[in-house]
Structures are given as structure tokens and as C-alpha cells.
């Protein structure tokens, strides 16, 4: 059997770490988690040379794998300490999921496309990441059966913050979500739920994500 295709070298990963530090990623735990996940495993074969290019890349089902800096930034903003239960909406390739799995107790992840979920699960197996549960589903409804979540991260842009997600956020929890129209300005929002349940929000930065599409999971 042929082994895995030639993947990334040590220099590429070292350069990536340097780039992230230069862009202001400070958490050693986050940098380490990114070092542990070979991004090339998540990038389509014909785009391998662009593995660490700092832009989103097209993947199956007309979706994208997020820009590497954005993955690092969002992960850092989640302030994970190893004990949290995380919900991710928008599995895509599973790259962000795999990074989270190194920093959280358990990660639940949903995508509308079964095809993407199945492919991501295969990658989690290759990487022996056993603390991830993935399922096809509509993330605008959250994952009620597993709620509450200490952290929720959405990697697609919503028109508004879905009520189900703030409801399923634990007290003391953090929700990161890009909000805004598909064409036009989207902003990454950080929403925190204080003990007692009061919500506060702040805008972190302008971003560009594929849309969060409400409704039943696509059959693909
Ligand atoms: N985090 C991914 C990038 C995901 S792109 C990665 O690192 O590869 C955004 C993903 O959100 C797409 O795969 C898209 O199918 C998914 N998505 C869009 N609307 C959704 C919804 N309502 N529920 C679940 N997933 C959704």
C-alpha cells in the first residue's frame, strides 16, 4: 500500500510558528496545538503547495478551509485550559476541530454536509484524536443534547447570533461568531455569558467567512 503522500517539512512548520508569533499569537499552548496538527492533511491534494499560505483554500462541497492565522486567532480568543467542553459549528475539513482537540476536554462539531463530516472523521482517526464527536446537522440549532458548552466557535458567518447558541452557552462561557452578510462587512464577535446569565459582546475584527446556512442538513 502506498504511504501517505509527501506532506510538509520541518521548515514549513517552523516558518508557520514564526509567522504566527509575528502576527501576535502569544499563547504557547495554542502555538503548540497548531504545531501538532499537520495542516497538509486537511488541504486538497492539488493545493498542497499552498498549505500554509495565509488565506482560505477551497475544499469539497463549495466550502473553504479557514485561513491559518484566523484559526490561531480564534483558538487563542477561546482561552482554553484543557478542561472545557467545546461546540464547533462548521467542521469543514476538521482542521480547526483538530487544533481545538489538543486544548479542550471534548469537542463536539457539526457541519451541514455529511461528506465533510465523514472526511473529517477519517482525519481525526489518522491523528488518533479520540476526544472529538462529529455529526451532520444544522448548527443554527446548536446541539441541545450535549449542552451546555463552555465554549462555542462558529466558523461560518451568521446574519444574526442564533438564539440556540447563546442558550446553550454555559455561564462563564465564551461564544465566538462571525456576524454579517455574505457580501459586505462581517465582524468577528466575542460573546461572554457571566455567572447569572447576563450576556456581553464585543467586536474583535473584520473577517470574511462562508455563510452559515440555516435549515436541514444537506443530503450530500
Ligand atoms: N473550520 C473549517 C472551515 C469551515 S468553512 C476548517 O477549518 O476547515 C464553514 C463550514 O460551515 C462549511 O463546511 C459549511 O458547510 C458549514 N456550515 C454552514 N452552515 C452551517 C450550519 N447551519 N450548520 C453546520 N455547518 C454549517
Amino acid at each position: 500500500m502506498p504511504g501517505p503522500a509527501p506532506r510538509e517539512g520541518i521548515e514549513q512548520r517552523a516558518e508557520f510558528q514564526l509567522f504566527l508569533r509575528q502576527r501576535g499569537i502569544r499563547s504557547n499552548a495554542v502555538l503548540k496545538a497548531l504545531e501538532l496538527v499537520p495542516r497538509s492533511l486537511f488541504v486538497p491534494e492539488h493545493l498542497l503547495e499552498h498549505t500554509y499560505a495565509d488565506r482560505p483554500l477551497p475544499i469539497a462541497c463549495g466550502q473553504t478551509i479557514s485561513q491559518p492565522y484566523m484559526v490561531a486567532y480564534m483558538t487563542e480568543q477561546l482561552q482554553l485550559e484543557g478542561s472545557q467542553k467545546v461546540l464547533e459549528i462548521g467542521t469543514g475539513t476538521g482542521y480547526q476541530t483538530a487544533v481545538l482537540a489538543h486544548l479542550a476536554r471534548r469537542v463536539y462539531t457539526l457541519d451541514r454536509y455529511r461528506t465533510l463530516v465523514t472526511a473529517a472523521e477519517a482525519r481525526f482517526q489518522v491523528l488518533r484524536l479520540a476526544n472529538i464527536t462529529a455529526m451532520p446537522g444544522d448548527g443554527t440549532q446548536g446541539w441541545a443534547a450535549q449542552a451546555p458548552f463552555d465554549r462555542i466557535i462558529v466558523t461560518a458567518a451568521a446574519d444574526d447570533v442564533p438564539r440556540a447558541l447563546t442558550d446553550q452557552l454555559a455561564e462563564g462561557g465564551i461564544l465566538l461568531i462571525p456576524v454579517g452578510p455574505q457580501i459586505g462587512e462581517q465582524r468577528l464577535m466575542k460573546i461572554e455569558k457571566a455567572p447569572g446569565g447576563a450576556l456581553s459582546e464585543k467586536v474583535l475584527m473584520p473577517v470574511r467567512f462562508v455563510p452559515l446556512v440555516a435549515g436541514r442538513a444537506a443530503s450530500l
Side-chain angles (χ1 to χ4, degrees):
M1 281 240 298
R7 293 291 177 178
E8 61 206 70
I10 284 179
E11 312 87 62
Q12 251 186 315
R13 290 210 207 182
E15 264 177 45
F16 181 44
Q17 290 280 312
L18 192 63
F19 163 78
L20 292 172
R21 283 178 195 277
Q22 282 167 348
R23 286 289 307 266
I25 303 298
R26 297 231 172 75
S27 158
N28 285 327
V30 170
L31 289 163
K32 182 77 194 165
L34 283 147
E35 196 172 25
L36 288 172
V37 180
R39 183 168 163 91
S40 52
L41 183 64
F42 298 80
V43 165
E45 206 69 32
H46 68 285
L47 294 173
L48 274 181
E49 62 184 299
H50 303 294
T51 296
Y52 285 103
D54 197 37
R55 57 182 170 92
L57 299 172
I59 60 168
C61 303
Q63 304 303 317
T64 55
I65 175 170
S66 304
Q67 172 193 358
Y69 168 71
M70 191 53 59
V71 173
Y73 179 80
M74 289 176 81
T75 305
E76 189 166 57
Q77 287 296 328
L78 284 178
Q79 298 163 234
L80 292 164
E81 287 140 13
S83 59
Q84 288 96 352
K85 181 170 151 190
V86 180
L87 173 65
E88 179 195 34
I89 311 293
T91 316
T93 61
Y95 178 63
Q96 171 80 74
T97 328
V99 172
L100 293 171
H102 285 289
L103 297 161
R105 177 165 58 80
R106 175 129 229 123
V107 184
Y108 294 87
T109 183
L110 285 174
D111 201 286
R112 301 180 67 232
Y113 290 96
R114 183 178 294 276
T115 316
L116 295 179
V117 171
T118 306
E121 282 179 315
R123 296 185 181 103
F124 304 149
Q125 281 209 349
V126 169
L127 297 175
R128 300 189 196 290
L129 295 171
N131 59 340
I132 299 172
T133 310
M135 193 174 80
D138 176 9
T140 63
Q141 305 301 311
W143 192 326
Q146 299 296 344
F149 299 97
D150 304 304
R151 302 287 187 265
I152 301 180
I153 172 173
V154 184
T155 64
D159 288 330
D160 296 299
V161 180
R163 175 69 197 268
L165 299 187
T166 48
D167 284 351
Q168 292 175 25
L169 188 63
E171 291 184 10
I174 299 173
L175 162 63
L176 280 186
I177 181 168
V179 178
Q182 190 179 351
I183 312 281
E185 187 167 283
Q186 299 173 1
R187 297 177 306 175
L188 181 61
M189 312 281 300
K190 184 174 190 173
I191 298 172
E192 299 190 53
K193 189 183 269 192
L199 296 172
S200 62
E201 59 176 52
K202 67 177 175 190
V203 176
L204 295 180
M205 63 157 85
V207 287
R208 178 131 299 281
F209 279 87
V210 296
L212 184 74
V213 181
R216 289 168 61 109
S219 57
L220 281 175

